[in-house]
Amino acid sequence: DEYIDIPYKPIPKAVRIFPYGVSRNRLEKAIRELRASAYIVKDWKEADVILTLKAHAQKEPAKLHEASGGNIPLTIIKSNTYNQIVNAVKDLFRNGSSQRDEDDAIDEAQAAIEAVIDGEESIELMPQNSYIRRLQHKMIEENNLNSQSIGIEPNRRILVSKR
């Protein structure tokens, strides 16, 4: 018998989406047609992400922040069209919304913070989606360092440096 080393790959869990002001039917159709590993939840407390309209995010930011407890990322779309919803679902999977990617991005930011504190001039982080960049900016600011977003989507990233 020959031993074959197969790298361990965890099975990705389905993303739980809470639609806030977004057409549930269009979202279901988008998930089904994209064969996305996602499903709709009826309670925001069970969600991994809240999908909402720009109008709701602007009118009710406190309500959405309270709903998410500040911990559930918001995905904001301009309008309630099928195309906008499809693109948002695609982005959830393309932009590293998984917990593992988020943890890796946080670890990368922490390593950069330590390196700059230890004397590095500046460090450029890997490109991330806006939610993860916001978390990284917050971490960097908490360590009294300077952070600046550079580049254009989808390669927008953070430059960490001393103040």
Side-chain angles (χ1 to χ4, degrees), residues 77-163:
I77 56 177
K78 291 178 188 169
S79 62
N80 212 351
T81 64
Y82 178 71
N83 201 33
Q84 287 275 312
I85 294 169
V86 164
N87 288 333
V89 172
K90 283 181 183 175
D91 285 347
L92 284 175
F93 293 93
R94 180 176 30 238
N95 286 342
S97 66
S98 77
Q99 189 63 46
R100 183 182 177 129
D101 288 344
E102 186 177 315
D103 291 344
D104 289 348
I106 296 304
D107 291 346
E108 179 192 21
Q110 189 58 49
I113 288 166
E114 290 168 11
V116 170
I117 288 172
D118 289 344
E120 263 317 302
E121 188 70 30
S122 65
I123 295 184
E124 206 171 286
L125 303 179
M126 295 291 292
Q128 301 294 342
N129 65 39
S130 62
Y131 169 70
I132 291 177
R133 284 196 315 271
R134 195 172 355 171
L135 295 177
Q136 290 173 326
H137 278 298
K138 186 177 177 191
M139 287 176 63
I140 295 162
E141 186 174 311
E142 288 169 355
N143 284 275
N144 295 317
L145 296 174
N146 191 38
S147 65
Q148 176 184 3
S149 286
I150 58 173
I152 55 172
E153 297 292 356
N155 294 313
R156 199 144 168 83
R157 58 206 176 278
I158 293 179
L159 180 69
V160 185
S161 59
K162 287 192 175 1
R163 289 200 175 214

Side-chain angles (χ1 to χ4, degrees), residues 11-41:
I11 298 169
K13 74 177 180 82
V15 175
R16 298 168 301 187
I17 304 171
F18 177 73
Y20 185 77
V22 173
S23 167
R24 192 176 201 85
N25 289 339
R26 290 181 190 137
L27 179 56
E28 285 171 349
K29 182 180 177 192
I31 291 169
R32 191 173 51 250
E33 289 185 0
L34 291 170
R35 292 191 175 106
S37 180
Y39 62 95
I40 299 170
V41 293

